[in-house]
Amino acid sequence: MSERNASAKGPRKVLIIGGGFAGLECAQKLANDSRFDVTLVDRNNHHLFQPLLYQVATASLAASDIARSIRQVLTKAKNVTVLMDEITAIDSDAKTANGKSGTVYHYDTLLLAAGARTGYFGRDEWAEHTLGLKTLAEAQTVRRTVLSNLEKAELTSDPAEKKRLMTVVIIGGGPTGVELAGAFADLIHRSLKEDFRRIDTSKLRVLLLEGADRILAVYDKDQSDYTKKRLIKEGVEVMTSTKVVNITKGRAELEDGTVLESEAIIWAAGVAANPLAALLGVPTDRGGRVTPNPDLSLPGKPDIFVAGDLVAILDENGKPVPGVAPAASQMGRHVAKVLKEDARLDTTSFAGDKASLRAKFRYWDKGLMAIIGKNHAVVKAGQMRVKGFIAWLMWLFIHILFLVGFRNKLSVLLGWAFSYIRDNPEARVIVNRPGTVAKEA
Amino acid sequence: MSERNASAKGPRKVLIIGGGFAGLECAQKLANDSRFDVTLVDRNNHHLFQPLLYQVATASLAASDIARSIRQVLTKAKNVTVLMDEITAIDSDAKTANGKSGTVYHYDTLLLAAGARTGYFGRDEWAEHTLGLKTLAEAQTVRRTVLSNLEKAELTSDPAEKKRLMTVVIIGGGPTGVELAGAFADLIHRSLKEDFRRIDTSKLRVLLLEGADRILAVYDKDQSDYTKKRLIKEGVEVMTSTKVVNITKGRAELEDGTVLESEAIIWAAGVAANPLAALLGVPTDRGGRVTPNPDLSLPGKPDIFVAGDLVAILDENGKPVPGVAPAASQMGRHVAKVLKEDARLDTTSFAGDKASLRAKFRYWDKGLMAIIGKNHAVVKAGQMRVKGFIAWLMWLFIHILFLVGFRNKLSVLLGWAFSYIRDNPEARVIVNRPGTVAKEA
């Protein structure tokens, strides 16, 4: 462990990998504290408000509505340097990390907060035939695919092709799958209802597949049942206890032999920690996640911390801390607190093991909420259970508060609320992939 | 020429190619007129507000702010079918058009309003090394390139590379080049000023190259001079009488032998009509444009009309009608008027040459305006000449009116006005190209 005295040797070099909720929160808490020289590296230039990513996928929000330039957020944090680079290797003995750009990053303290990506439980070959939903580009691809499929269905005269184009299969009945299914049902049955002349968008099938016997398994059973009932009412085909055994191009094969043909198979069934977690030299779980000490540092490596979705840790009740934004923020904040306390001890005559004095991370569970299409949601917080319109209002209120803080731009919210009320999402524009557009028709 | 009687043979089949200002306006004027069965085909699903495309390129607006789903605009026009397809061939004898999808479109009347694309005056090989600015995808590529170059410049320690990355070359001193240069100057010298730690964004060079002896050649000379002075004050290097003789990867070579090295060479020097115009069997000019009869139909082909940027026609004063949105809209409206009058004559006993009775297109010149960075613009309308802040207010007022009508969404305007005032564009997010994002750092 580093015993350097900050005041004697200059500020402590803190390297943060990942500008998600955990990394950004930590950087913000260390901002303009002269004891720290912080470098935040992310392969994107933006911080993403992931809880609303499904709204980009379903054309309700524009990409820039839920993303902020990381350097813009940290523009006033003069001791923080933001770099867009992809870390490919970490050497915890030399205390360096290597970037794809060729840059070598030296650190005194490392915070790995690189998050999670879409995970396929060992069936990585399925990635090629499914659409993930963890990044802005993925969300835009989902949107482009579903909207383009409708355009193609309007054009084609082949009934089998039309059917394939008008089928959306969502694999995974967790919050992402549920929110996506509900939003697609809204888009198709409300917003797009009058837009087409040759196809009947109400015939578009949205299938939600879940391996377990109920969707939203982390909620109470009656909330799961309510959600299923609501989705079915919105026209979603909810298939529980349904295992996918194989996926090839345009085909999802179920355990009972059924084959679902669809040009839009969306994978919302699992995430895996960023592969960087595996480079830390500590054991990882099935999802590639790391279990740190209670202070979030790694066993035997008090100068390396982890936070966010790549952490597998239990809360005070012995339940896993979920991979949600509030948990990631809390971890990032905790790491900053520990670093500050370490730095304070550096200026005292204390000569013992500082790591042993560090505060333990405590997760404050603010509850869970999932939205089910328009006007309905489920909320589970402490002993409280709410469902239906009131839950939806709670969801809306909290996300508006969040986004207003996030964007500092009330107008996005107004526009969003407005189009929500009018069933008229403004973002239903297909932007061709760069390189595919040579001329206009 | 078709002499069919609409009431006897059912509605007249009108095929509109292109959903820009001309095509959309024509479709809207024919909406719910049972004498017409209209099909509008565009290779994109969106109508684009091109006058503000430079704002997408410079991160002030999101793509969806200046684009509308064509079928959403026409959702209530029950006699209009919108199809997303690319027309590849037109047979004016058989009265058919072929789509890339394999569809064959039969028409009684054709309106070709496919617009223009970036044109290289015969140097098509330059396309590969420059960035165009005619489509949403191109605008997003410009944004991504310039923002990514700054990120790379922040990372690199190679001074020559840093210089190349921090140089933006804009070729073409027309309205697009001027507006782009001014907006980049704003972005770099105002909005991004505090965001970077290692590079000084004020050192970023924006060069505006113009072959003629002044920029904005269609304006008066003192307006051109004023614009040049303003741009120079904003930090843009304006090079008039400067001809580009060759462009290779990252290098623009000038007539005097100077080589400009830049990782962002933007081509705003010319447009060419959509190649479909050449398929009509009538002569085209150097820019591939077609000169129609005064009623906008083609010589010898009274059932084929052209409108918008692919038309080369003179106004009443013998000056070319410019390739601007109001001109395109007026042409689209004119074609609809002619079709309605033709249909009316069909129901009378008139047996002569209807085409000879058709109204002539008259261009109503509403004037020109160009914005020069923040707070400055030039306006030329009739005898009126305005420049500076008042001109900028006029620009803002007209574009706000336009956009409010366009989007029916005041909130976008509010957000835009707000970030304009605060020097804080919200859209400065780099979205990776789909397919390049496998995992997050």
Side-chain angles (χ1 to χ4, degrees):
Chain A
M1 152 163 210
S2 166
E3 293 292 332
R4 54 184 263 164
N5 183 307
S7 52
K9 295 196 193 169
R12 173 166 274 263
K13 279 197 184 109
V14 179
L15 176 63
I16 300 175
I17 302 175
F21 283 99
L24 196 56
E25 181 77 24
C26 183
Q28 283 178 308
K29 293 294 171 202
L30 298 179
N32 298 318
D33 184 328
S34 60
R35 296 172 297 180
F36 303 100
D37 174 10
V38 181
T39 301
L40 190 156
V41 178
D42 196 297
R43 67 166 281 166
N44 293 307
N45 86 327
H46 56 264
H47 169 71
L48 188 61
F49 192 74
Q50 275 193 359
L52 289 176
L53 198 54
Y54 80 96
Q55 293 225 355
V56 172
T58 53
S60 292
L61 289 177
S64 55
D65 290 341
I66 64 157
R68 288 189 297 183
S69 151
I70 297 173
R71 54 177 77 259
Q72 183 180 349
V73 178
L74 294 168
T75 189
K76 293 202 161 64
K78 297 301 176 194
N79 64 329
V80 181
T81 303
V82 177
L83 296 172
M84 191 169 120
D85 198 358
E86 187 178 349
I87 300 296
T88 53
I90 296 169
D91 183 336
S92 56
D93 295 326
K95 295 197 166 192
T96 57
N98 293 77
K100 209 174 186 175
S101 68
T103 309
V104 178
Y105 301 88
H106 295 267
Y107 65 80
D108 299 316
T109 301
L110 175 70
L111 169 59
L112 182 64
R117 57 192 178 101
T118 307
Y120 293 87
F121 309 130
R123 300 299 294 264
D124 287 350
E125 70 275 18
W126 292 359
E128 174 185 356
H129 308 299
T130 59
L131 305 168
L133 196 65
K134 288 297 286 180
T135 67
L136 266 188
E138 284 178 339
Q140 289 182 328
T141 303
V142 168
R143 175 201 300 187
R144 179 170 42 235
T145 304
V146 173
L147 292 180
S148 297
N149 285 355
L150 288 174
E151 296 290 345
K152 288 178 196 160
E154 178 88 341
L155 261 178
T156 189
S157 48
D158 174 346
E161 190 191 355
K162 191 167 289 199
K163 200 176 156 202
R164 268 202 317 278
L165 289 164
M166 291 186 67
T167 304
V168 176
V169 174
I170 301 168
I171 303 174
T176 301
V178 165
E179 295 188 327
L180 203 56
F184 271 128
D186 273 350
L187 179 73
I188 290 147
H189 300 135
R190 291 205 172 97
S191 314
L192 300 179
K193 203 172 51 173
E194 306 283 324
D195 278 8
F196 292 83
R197 299 287 174 265
R198 299 171 170 193
I199 57 172
D200 177 357
T201 53
S202 71
K203 296 243 169 78
L204 192 137
R205 294 177 73 192
V206 178
L207 294 101
L208 180 65
L209 275 49
E210 167 59 43
D213 63 352
R214 62 184 175 102
I215 56 175
L216 291 188
V218 292
Y219 288 74
D220 292 354
K221 183 164 185 316
D222 77 303
Q223 289 186 307
S224 294
D225 294 344
Y226 170 78
T227 303
K228 184 174 179 175
K229 209 180 67 191
R230 280 300 326 161
L231 285 175
I232 291 171
K233 198 157 185 174
E234 295 285 333
V236 176
E237 299 172 45
V238 182
M239 300 170 73
T240 46
S241 303
T242 299
K243 289 194 176 60
V244 175
V245 293
N246 200 20
I247 303 174
T248 53
K249 188 169 163 40
R251 291 166 60 97
E253 215 180 303
L254 307 184
E255 206 174 22
D256 66 3
T258 311
V259 171
L260 301 171
E261 290 194 283
S262 162
E263 297 290 329
I265 304 177
I266 299 164
W267 182 265
V271 295
N274 188 295
L276 285 175
L279 300 178
L280 295 173
V282 293
T284 58
D285 72 0
R286 196 175 84 109
R289 294 177 307 167
V290 169
T291 298
N293 295 323
D295 67 348
L296 299 180
S297 71
L298 291 189
K301 299 179 190 208
D303 289 323
I304 301 187
F305 294 83
V306 286
D309 284 358
L310 54 69
V311 169
I313 197 171
L314 301 180
D315 70 9
E316 291 184 306
N317 305 316
K319 288 194 301 185
V321 174
V324 294
S329 291
Q330 290 173 30
M331 290 186 207
R333 208 174 309 147
H334 178 80
V335 172
K337 201 176 92 182
V338 167
L339 293 183
K340 288 183 170 193
E341 181 58 16
D342 277 6
R344 195 189 63 78
L345 284 179
D346 272 342
T347 63
T348 68
S349 57
F350 180 78
D353 177 11
K354 279 179 300 194
S356 67
L357 297 180
R358 285 175 176 172
K360 291 181 170 61
F361 171 67
R362 289 178 60 166
Y363 174 54
W364 179 35
D365 184 1
K366 295 181 183 169
L368 297 169
M369 43 184 28
I371 187 166
I372 319 160
K374 193 171 172 172
N375 300 338
H376 298 273
V378 285
V379 173
K380 177 186 178 185
Q383 297 308 309
M384 185 176 65
R385 303 287 179 272
V386 192
K387 63 190 180 215
F389 187 65
I390 300 293
W392 180 77
L393 285 180
M394 292 169 71
W395 181 94
L396 197 64
F397 180 73
I398 286 186
H399 284 77
I400 282 180
L401 278 188
F402 235 129
L403 262 195
V404 168
F406 180 74
R407 299 285 302 160
N408 195 17
K409 190 176 169 188
L410 194 60
S411 63
V412 168
L413 262 296
L414 288 176
W416 181 49
F418 200 57
S419 66
Y420 213 92
I421 293 163
R422 287 170 57 234
D423 279 332
N424 196 359
E426 301 281 359
R428 69 171 83 147
V429 161
I430 303 173
V431 180
N432 285 293
R433 269 161 295 190
T436 63
V437 190
K439 51 189 184 242
E440 291 163 283
Chain B
M1 152 163 208
S2 168
E3 293 292 332
R4 52 184 265 164
N5 184 305
S7 54
K9 295 196 192 167
R12 171 167 275 264
K13 278 198 185 110
V14 180
L15 176 63
I16 300 175
I17 302 176
F21 283 99
L24 196 56
E25 182 75 24
C26 183
Q28 284 178 310
K29 293 294 172 204
L30 298 179
N32 298 318
D33 183 328
S34 60
R35 294 171 298 178
F36 303 100
D37 173 11
V38 181
T39 302
L40 190 157
V41 178
D42 196 298
R43 66 167 282 163
N44 293 308
N45 86 328
H46 56 264
H47 168 71
L48 189 61
F49 193 74
Q50 276 193 0
L52 289 176
L53 198 54
Y54 80 96
Q55 294 225 355
V56 172
T58 54
S60 291
L61 289 176
S64 55
D65 289 341
I66 64 157
R68 289 189 296 182
S69 152
I70 298 173
R71 53 176 76 258
Q72 184 180 346
V73 178
L74 295 167
T75 189
K76 293 200 162 63
K78 297 302 178 195
N79 65 328
V80 181
T81 302
V82 178
L83 295 171
M84 190 170 120
D85 198 359
E86 186 177 350
I87 300 298
T88 53
I90 297 169
D91 183 336
S92 55
D93 296 325
K95 297 201 165 189
T96 56
N98 293 78
K100 208 174 186 175
S101 69
T103 308
V104 177
Y105 301 89
H106 296 267
Y107 64 81
D108 298 316
T109 301
L110 174 70
L111 168 59
L112 182 64
R117 57 192 178 101
T118 307
Y120 294 87
F121 309 130
R123 299 299 296 263
D124 286 351
E125 69 274 20
W126 293 0
E128 175 185 355
H129 308 300
T130 59
L131 306 167
L133 195 66
K134 286 297 286 178
T135 67
L136 264 188
E138 284 178 338
Q140 289 181 329
T141 303
V142 169
R143 176 201 300 187
R144 181 171 40 237
T145 303
V146 173
L147 292 179
S148 297
N149 284 354
L150 287 174
E151 296 290 344
K152 288 178 194 160
E154 178 88 342
L155 261 178
T156 190
S157 47
D158 175 345
E161 190 190 356
K162 189 167 291 198
K163 200 175 156 203
R164 266 201 320 278
L165 289 164
M166 291 184 69
T167 303
V168 176
V169 173
I170 301 168
I171 302 175
T176 302
V178 164
E179 295 188 327
L180 203 56
F184 271 128
D186 273 350
L187 179 73
I188 290 148
H189 301 136
R190 291 206 172 97
S191 314
L192 299 179
K193 203 173 55 176
E194 306 282 325
D195 278 7
F196 291 83
R197 299 286 174 265
R198 299 171 170 193
I199 57 172
D200 178 357
T201 51
S202 71
K203 298 242 168 78
L204 192 137
R205 295 177 72 192
V206 178
L207 294 101
L208 181 65
L209 275 49
E210 168 58 44
D213 64 351
R214 60 184 177 102
I215 55 175
L216 292 188
V218 292
Y219 287 75
D220 292 353
K221 184 166 185 314
D222 78 302
Q223 290 187 308
S224 294
D225 294 344
Y226 170 79
T227 303
K228 185 174 179 175
K229 209 181 69 189
R230 279 299 328 158
L231 285 175
I232 290 171
K233 198 158 185 173
E234 294 284 332
V236 177
E237 299 172 45
V238 181
M239 300 170 73
T240 46
S241 302
T242 299
K243 288 193 178 59
V244 175
V245 292
N246 201 19
I247 302 174
T248 52
K249 190 171 160 37
R251 291 165 59 98
E253 216 180 302
L254 308 183
E255 206 175 22
D256 67 3
T258 311
V259 171
L260 300 171
E261 290 195 283
S262 162
E263 297 290 330
I265 304 178
I266 300 164
W267 183 264
V271 297
N274 189 296
L276 285 175
L279 301 179
L280 295 174
V282 292
T284 57
D285 72 0
R286 199 175 81 109
R289 295 177 305 166
V290 170
T291 298
N293 295 323
D295 66 348
L296 299 180
S297 71
L298 292 189
K301 299 182 190 208
D303 289 324
I304 302 188
F305 294 83
V306 287
D309 284 358
L310 54 69
V311 170
I313 196 171
L314 301 180
D315 70 9
E316 292 183 305
N317 305 317
K319 289 194 301 184
V321 174
V324 295
S329 291
Q330 289 173 31
M331 290 186 207
R333 207 173 310 145
H334 178 81
V335 172
K337 202 176 91 181
V338 167
L339 294 183
K340 287 183 171 194
E341 181 58 15
D342 275 6
R344 195 188 63 78
L345 284 178
D346 272 342
T347 63
T348 67
S349 58
F350 180 77
D353 178 11
K354 277 179 302 193
S356 67
L357 299 180
R358 283 176 177 171
K360 292 180 168 62
F361 171 67
R362 290 179 58 168
Y363 174 54
W364 178 36
D365 184 0
K366 294 181 184 170
L368 298 168
M369 44 183 28
I371 187 166
I372 320 160
K374 194 170 170 172
N375 298 339
H376 298 274
V378 284
V379 174
K380 177 187 179 185
Q383 297 308 311
M384 185 177 65
R385 302 289 179 271
V386 192
K387 60 191 185 218
F389 188 65
I390 300 294
W392 180 76
L393 285 180
M394 291 168 72
W395 181 94
L396 197 64
F397 180 72
I398 285 186
H399 283 78
I400 283 180
L401 278 189
F402 235 129
L403 261 196
V404 168
F406 181 75
R407 299 286 303 161
N408 195 15
K409 189 176 168 188
L410 193 61
S411 62
V412 168
L413 263 296
L414 288 175
W416 181 46
F418 199 57
S419 65
Y420 213 92
I421 292 162
R422 286 169 57 232
D423 281 331
N424 197 359
E426 301 281 0
R428 68 171 83 145
V429 161
I430 303 172
V431 180
N432 286 293
R433 269 162 293 192
T436 63
V437 190
K439 50 192 182 233
E440 290 164 283

